[in-house]
Amino acid sequence: PATLLMSFFVLSTSFVKPQVFTFIGPMALGFIVVAAFQMFKLLKKDRLNIGLAILAAFLSFWFHTPVAFPVLLLAGALVTVNFGKKDFIPNNKPLINIRWANLSLMFMILITVAVVGLYTKTKFPIFSQPIRLFENTYRMGTMVFGGGNVLYSMILTEFVEFKPKQYLSLSEFNTGLGLLQAVPGPTFSLATFANGMAMKNLGYGFNGQLIGCALGTLAIFLPGTLLIFFVYPIWSQVKEYPIIYRSLDGIISVSIGFIWSAALFMLMPYLKSIATECALFLECQKKGINMHGMTDQYLSLFVFIITLVYLRYKKLPTVLLVVVTLLAG
């Protein structure tokens, strides 16, 4: 249901006036700021893990590259394996009942689509683009640790920030994130919206958008499904190995840093625009010019603040806030 609804929202952007989604962006910003604060509860409260989260947030915000995700996740794991406070309890028991086929298949799919996408990039670009979108999303699906909210940061970096691609504008990403709050189901369905909109922006028609939604859905859920079949039978054994249970704190800390980075990146344009409007207003006041152009900025700020308050004290379903915001637009 979630992916079907997000697919419907993608198609609706071709028929609905953009003004309808005017305040969805500020509302979405409220959601991700709240998510950033809530993720702090999962963070282990010691200097090492807090430092890892802050460093991951800074580096992923500064470099704006998809390479940051695997590198920082691996670095976080290595740091807590070697310097974490969890007791090192040796475990030399051999693993049994390992289904290597599922793990091998997960990585073989990733390698295959990456090679095919690269090979067809110049020879068959019309087919290459959906394949590369699938690879981008599938790769994100293999690295989502710490909850579905981490996917926000990955899609933001891969589809919005990374200059060689920029499949979506920040406004379109915010719209998808806001509409996601009205959808029952996993946050992973944001990948459905992102891929559908990417296909639309790349010039594919109605059918292309549907293909993008389908590929995005398959790509984001498939790695986790294969990983479940590999990990679940041996998890009771794996979690007792020092390198595993000592690395999890670092992985979670870095993932939380990704959320903080996404919240900061989304917040910056609003803060800059409000600061610019205020500076312009003061300049006009000095010159005796009557200015009436700040309504939208103040309304956006108002929607953002209302969202924060609503999520802090809400007793009504989230979908109500989304509907009201759409009606306001």
Side-chain angles (χ1 to χ4, degrees):
T3 56
L4 290 175
L5 284 170
M6 293 303 279
S7 299
F8 169 77
F9 289 140
V10 169
L11 299 175
S12 71
T13 58
S14 299
F15 306 100
V16 177
K17 291 183 178 180
Q19 289 86 343
V20 173
F21 302 109
T22 298
F23 301 119
I24 288 291
M27 185 201 70
L29 180 59
F31 275 97
I32 201 165
V33 167
V34 169
F37 279 106
Q38 289 177 339
M39 292 292 281
F40 190 76
K41 298 175 184 177
L42 300 176
L43 184 63
K44 197 168 183 180
K45 308 304 187 293
D46 59 48
R47 291 181 180 178
L48 181 63
N49 286 280
I50 293 174
L52 278 174
I54 294 173
L55 184 63
F58 172 78
L59 291 176
S60 59
F61 178 82
W62 183 263
F63 288 106
H64 301 313
T65 172
V67 177
F69 294 110
V71 170
L72 291 174
L73 286 169
L74 181 60
L78 290 174
V79 167
T80 52
V81 163
N82 291 284
F83 304 104
K85 291 186 177 181
K86 283 188 176 180
D87 295 333
F88 188 91
I89 304 172
N91 186 347
N92 298 318
K93 296 178 182 178
L95 288 173
I96 58 175
N97 299 323
I98 305 176
R99 300 177 181 177
W100 291 108
N102 293 313
L103 186 64
S104 301
L105 179 60
M106 186 179 79
F107 287 107
M108 282 301 299
I109 292 173
L110 177 61
I111 294 169
T112 301
V113 293
V115 170
V116 172
L118 185 63
Y119 176 76
T120 57
K121 186 175 182 179
T122 53
K123 295 185 177 181
F124 308 101
I126 192 171
F127 298 111
S128 177
Q129 194 62 67
I131 294 171
R132 284 183 286 143
L133 282 171
F134 179 92
E135 184 274 330
N136 295 164
T137 308
Y138 186 91
R139 177 163 33 83
M140 287 186 273
T142 64
M143 295 186 294
V144 178
F145 299 97
N149 289 338
V150 179
L151 184 64
Y152 299 164
S153 180
M154 292 184 173
I155 292 179
L156 180 64
T157 298
E158 188 91 38
F159 283 22
V160 180
E161 297 178 46
F162 192 48
K163 289 185 178 179
K165 297 177 182 177
Q166 291 186 316
Y167 298 134
L168 306 178
S169 67
L170 181 59
S171 175
E172 289 169 334
F173 173 81
N174 288 347
T175 297
L177 186 58
L179 293 172
L180 180 67
Q181 313 309 320
V183 172
T187 56
F188 276 19
S189 58
L190 179 61
T192 305
F193 182 90
N195 280 267
M197 287 300 298
M199 290 288 280
K200 176 185 176 183
N201 292 338
L202 289 166
Y204 292 82
F206 183 88
N207 292 333
Q209 293 172 49
L210 287 176
I211 291 172
C213 292
L215 289 177
T217 302
L218 178 63
I220 199 63
F221 285 106
L222 186 56
T225 304
L226 294 173
L227 199 59
I228 286 171
F229 286 115
F230 169 73
V231 172
Y232 185 75
I234 60 172
W235 179 243
S236 60
Q237 307 169 61
V238 168
K239 67 182 181 181
E240 296 176 359
Y241 279 76
I243 196 172
I244 299 298
Y245 68 73
R246 288 170 67 87
S247 69
L248 291 177
D249 286 341
I251 291 172
I252 297 300
S253 298
V254 169
S255 297
I256 290 169
F258 294 157
I259 291 291
W260 294 351
S261 172
L264 182 61
F265 183 84
M266 292 171 65
L267 194 58
M268 289 297 287
Y270 286 98
L271 294 178
K272 287 180 180 178
S273 63
I274 290 172
T276 301
E277 290 283 357
C278 289
L280 183 60
F281 176 77
L282 293 174
E283 187 68 24
C284 290
Q285 289 295 308
K286 289 180 182 179
K287 296 179 179 179
I289 301 172
N290 193 13
M291 183 179 172
H292 301 285
M294 295 189 294
T295 305
D296 285 349
Q297 293 299 335
Y298 281 126
L299 283 174
S300 295
L301 181 62
F302 178 72
V303 171
F304 171 65
I305 293 172
I306 287 294
T307 302
L308 294 180
V309 174
Y310 185 92
L311 295 176
R312 175 65 180 83
Y313 300 103
K314 70 173 184 177
K315 296 185 183 298
L316 296 171
T318 304
V319 66
L320 181 63
L321 178 63
V322 180
V323 172
V324 171
T325 305
L326 286 169
L327 291 174

